[in-house]
Amino acid sequence: MVKPGKLIVFSAPSGAGKSTLKDALMARFPEALRYSVSATTRKPRPGEQDAVHYFFKTPDEFRAMIEGQELVEHMQVHGNFYGTPKAPILKALGDGHSVILDLDVYGKVNFDKAFPHALGILIVPPSIEELERRLVARKSDDEETIRIRLQNATRELEFATRHGKYEYTVVNDNFHYALEELTRILEKELGETAMVRPMGEKAK
Ligand code: ADP
Ligand code: 5GP
């Protein structure tokens, strides 16, 4: 019988480095991990591909997914809708894979209602000032969007501390240390050894 995989939810304020860390982790556990691609009404950033980074939807299409009960949870974040499609998660778990999800801290609370055993990992930036530097350096959001994301970051971290169920909190200060810490967490939780060792990775 196939051993069922685990659900691993990553949450972080925007710009904390969650996507970069998640991509590096996926490369280290290529057999064990699958990524849950969310649906969103946000416009793609340069380089983002439909069905890889997100399923990019119009508001009408997104509404139809809600009405068709295709989403485990959905949430309005920074003025756009985001939601987690249910079918691909069930398929991946059924195939024996573990699934990484990227959910905002409020979405995680709703997700837990459907999947109470999901593991939570909260990624935090070393400071709000550093978070701002990273959002500016990423060059993917305009000034107003960055302002909203920073305002929300403090609130999100407070909410996560008080109401979130996160088994692990990882500070993404030095990228390599954070990646090593996450690798050790996943090795413990998945009972698998990472297949790509740190030597092969580029410095940040
Ligand atoms: P998120 O997915 O949490 O919004 P990203 O992964 O897009 O964040 O990271 C935001 C920016 O910060 C990117 O330009 C990324 O290369 C950079 N970054 C990620 N981790 C670090 C780190 N530890 N130190 C410095 N910059 C980082
Ligand atoms: P971004 O626009 O930077 O890709 O994501 C913005 C926020 O939306 C992040 O906090 C991210 O975790 C969250 N997010 C992405 N997908 C989902 C989802 O399916 N559900 C919820 N609730 N939040 C999501």
Side-chain angles (χ1 to χ4, degrees):
M1 207 177 81
V2 181
K3 189 169 154 248
K6 289 195 177 186
L7 292 170
I8 304 158
V9 178
F10 277 45
S11 300
S14 184
K18 183 180 34 158
S19 309
T20 318
L21 284 166
K22 183 262 294 170
D23 289 346
L25 275 175
M26 298 283 300
R28 286 187 170 192
F29 297 89
E31 294 302 323
L33 291 180
R34 292 293 176 271
Y35 178 60
S36 161
V37 179
S38 296
T40 185
T41 58
R42 149 163 103 56
K43 298 274 172 286
R45 293 182 184 133
E48 282 185 336
Q49 286 168 266
D50 189 44
V52 174
H53 298 92
Y54 282 104
F55 295 108
F56 293 101
K57 301 286 176 189
T58 64
D60 280 348
E61 288 168 340
F62 196 92
R63 219 166 290 130
M65 290 183 88
I66 298 173
E67 281 162 15
Q69 302 193 341
E70 292 174 42
L71 303 175
V72 182
E73 60 76 45
H74 65 277
M75 195 58 70
Q76 198 173 2
V77 190
H78 314 309
N80 293 302
F81 283 97
Y82 294 81
T84 309
K86 198 183 324 178
I89 296 179
L90 298 180
K91 165 89 173 65
L93 289 178
D95 290 343
H97 297 298
S98 288
V99 181
I100 289 200
L101 299 105
D102 171 347
L103 301 180
D104 81 311
V105 296
Y106 312 108
K108 167 70 164 66
V109 172
N110 289 337
F111 188 82
D112 285 346
K113 292 176 193 156
F115 294 103
H117 300 298
L119 185 77
I121 303 182
L122 184 68
I123 313 280
V124 299
S127 66
I128 292 292
E129 291 73 22
E130 173 61 16
L131 188 66
E132 181 171 13
R133 271 192 289 278
R134 288 183 194 173
L135 284 170
V136 171
R138 188 168 69 181
K139 295 194 170 97
S140 60
D141 301 300
D142 58 33
E143 243 175 68
E144 173 61 6
T145 307
I146 291 179
R147 196 185 59 76
I148 295 173
R149 284 176 186 247
L150 284 174
Q151 252 178 16
N152 291 344
T154 313
R155 259 183 256 143
E156 288 168 24
L157 288 174
E158 264 173 33
F159 179 90
T161 311
R162 280 186 201 187
H163 308 290
K165 183 179 84 66
Y166 291 97
E167 280 75 10
Y168 300 97
T169 298
V170 172
V171 181
N172 180 22
D173 188 353
N174 176 294
F175 184 82
H176 289 290
Y177 291 160
L179 181 57
E180 282 309 308
E181 196 177 339
L182 286 167
T183 301
R184 277 194 297 276
I185 291 169
L186 290 199
E187 284 180 338
K188 176 168 166 255
E189 293 291 339
L190 303 180
E192 300 225 5
T193 306
M195 286 175 67
V196 180
R197 299 313 306 170
M199 300 299 285
E201 278 158 7
K202 275 201 242 142
K204 267 252 145 215

